[in-house]
Amino acid sequence: MNDPLGSLCSIGELARRTGLTVKAIRFYSDRGIVPPTGRSPAGYRLYGADALARLDLVRTLRELGVGLPDIRKVVARELSLSEVAAAHADALAVQIRTLRLRHAVLTAVARRDSDPEEMDLMHRLARLSEDERRRLIDDFLDSVFTGSAGSAGSGAFVGIRRSLTPELPDNPEPEQIAAWVELAELSQDGEFRALVRRLVEHLAAEQEGARGGGPRPGLVPTVRELVGPVLAAGIEPGDGAAAPVVEALLAHDVHVLTRLEAVNDPRRERYTELLAVINGWPAPESVAPVLDWAVEALRVREPVGGVPGAPDVPSRP
């Protein structure tokens, strides 16, 4: 005798086959996701073979974070699996970015032994949207360039500004996120802003050829060219053999010591390092050794005529 209900199984049997609890299956059943095919004479729910396939799909989608409303639409064929997968892939991308940001903040806090106030600042910086990040950097660069001698459309200033602008990619690596958080924090330092402003004005003056009607060699390349050989030769800044280098530096700019002290600020070099990481540029070569040598050599020379760092030689006419 054929039993029309013989191919059906109870909710308990369905639970054993799927590994889900009876309570979970009843929950999905009540919401129309896995409806019963029929009822036993005693009124108990009975499920067909398609219930096994539906429950396998439901479990997979739930593990991927898909919500019940979307699951109901998928099993009812109101949405295709590809549509749901695409939507949730986008959502997961946002979650991954958020987790990367949180990881960057926690890593920075652990390394720097940050206090609660600094941790809160880093956390807020990490959560900024792309537009908010751009506004924050624009505010920093505006404070550096606005009102400067060449800020009104100067080609030199436009190029310098572009070279100082961080561009965090759409899918940044963890180290790029960590670098962004540190750079953003550094950009809020008022003393650092003033320092960068001075450096930008000096650099623009060199590029614009402010003296003599023609372009001047850059200060840092000049220092590297002059100091590199004597540093490699092991000549100490206070040696007599350092005097020609000091004279050559002063010939470049009588205020060279003041400028070099600004260029040699560790925060400037750190900014360039972070900028390279964020923008995916090659790591910049450190100029700290030649700058340290030049600054010390200028300081140990006896001042003449009230000019700090001038060598102990007769002043040139």
Side-chain angles (χ1 to χ4, degrees):
M1 175 178 178
N2 291 331
D3 180 1
L5 301 181
S7 61
L8 303 180
C9 64
S10 68
I11 194 170
E13 178 63 23
L14 192 59
R16 285 190 293 273
R17 292 187 185 184
T18 61
L20 295 171
T21 65
V22 169
K23 182 178 180 181
I25 296 174
R26 186 177 291 114
F27 174 82
Y28 294 135
S29 182
D30 290 342
R31 279 153 183 77
I33 296 173
V34 186
T37 302
R39 296 273 180 171
S40 71
Y44 295 110
R45 308 182 205 201
L46 295 173
Y47 298 88
D50 65 318
L52 287 170
R54 284 195 176 206
L55 286 172
D56 283 340
L57 175 61
V58 169
R59 181 163 51 187
T60 299
L61 293 176
R62 290 295 284 166
E63 289 174 354
L64 292 173
V66 179
L68 288 177
D70 282 341
I71 291 176
R72 185 183 295 110
K73 291 178 181 178
V74 169
V75 297
R77 301 186 183 277
E78 295 176 19
L79 281 177
S80 69
L81 275 174
S82 60
E83 290 174 319
V84 172
H88 282 269
D90 291 341
L92 282 174
V94 174
Q95 293 177 20
I96 290 170
R97 178 179 175 276
T98 300
L99 289 174
R100 283 180 171 178
L101 291 172
R102 291 177 182 173
H103 179 266
V105 171
L106 291 173
T107 300
V109 169
R111 288 176 178 171
R112 297 166 56 174
D113 192 23
S114 304
D115 57 35
E117 183 177 351
E118 185 181 30
M119 179 178 177
D120 179 65
L121 173 61
M122 288 191 293
H123 182 59
R124 285 188 286 110
L125 291 174
R127 294 178 64 187
L128 294 178
S129 67
E130 181 179 353
D131 287 342
E132 290 169 332
R133 288 199 307 269
R134 190 171 298 279
R135 284 197 296 271
L136 183 146
I137 294 300
D138 284 345
D139 175 69
F140 162 63
L141 294 175
D142 286 345
S143 74
V144 169
F145 287 92
T146 301
S148 300
S151 60
S154 164
F157 273 70
V158 170
I160 296 170
R161 178 167 181 145
R162 186 180 300 116
S163 71
L164 293 175
T165 303
E167 297 285 352
L168 194 66
D170 292 336
N171 295 298
E173 297 297 326
E175 59 269 20
Q176 290 177 301
I177 297 170
W180 154 256
V181 172
E182 185 177 344
L183 183 144
E185 184 181 14
L186 182 59
S187 73
Q188 304 307 296
D189 185 327
E191 291 183 2
F192 179 70
R193 291 187 176 204
L195 168 70
V196 176
R197 184 185 180 89
R198 293 196 302 272
L199 294 175
V200 164
E201 290 177 340
H202 292 155
L203 184 57
E206 290 175 351
Q207 294 189 5
E208 292 279 347
R211 272 191 182 180
R216 299 166 54 200
L219 177 59
V220 172
T222 297
V223 173
R224 186 187 288 114
E225 180 181 354
L226 292 172
V227 175
V230 295
L231 183 63
I235 297 174
E236 296 295 327
D239 289 352
V245 176
V246 173
E247 290 187 63
L249 290 173
L250 287 165
H252 181 278
D253 189 333
V254 71
H255 301 293
V256 66
L257 177 57
T258 300
R259 292 188 59 192
L260 283 179
E261 287 174 331
V263 173
N264 202 31
D265 190 299
R267 292 171 297 182
R268 180 207 62 81
E269 183 158 293
R270 184 57 180 160
Y271 186 93
T272 61
E273 292 171 348
L274 296 170
L275 192 64
V277 173
I278 296 168
N279 290 354
W281 297 341
E285 178 186 357
S286 175
V287 293
V290 295
L291 294 178
D292 288 341
W293 191 99
V295 168
E296 185 176 351
L298 287 163
R299 285 175 177 169
V300 298
R301 306 302 291 177
E302 291 293 330
V304 172
V307 179
D312 188 11
V313 294
S315 58
R316 293 179 291 278

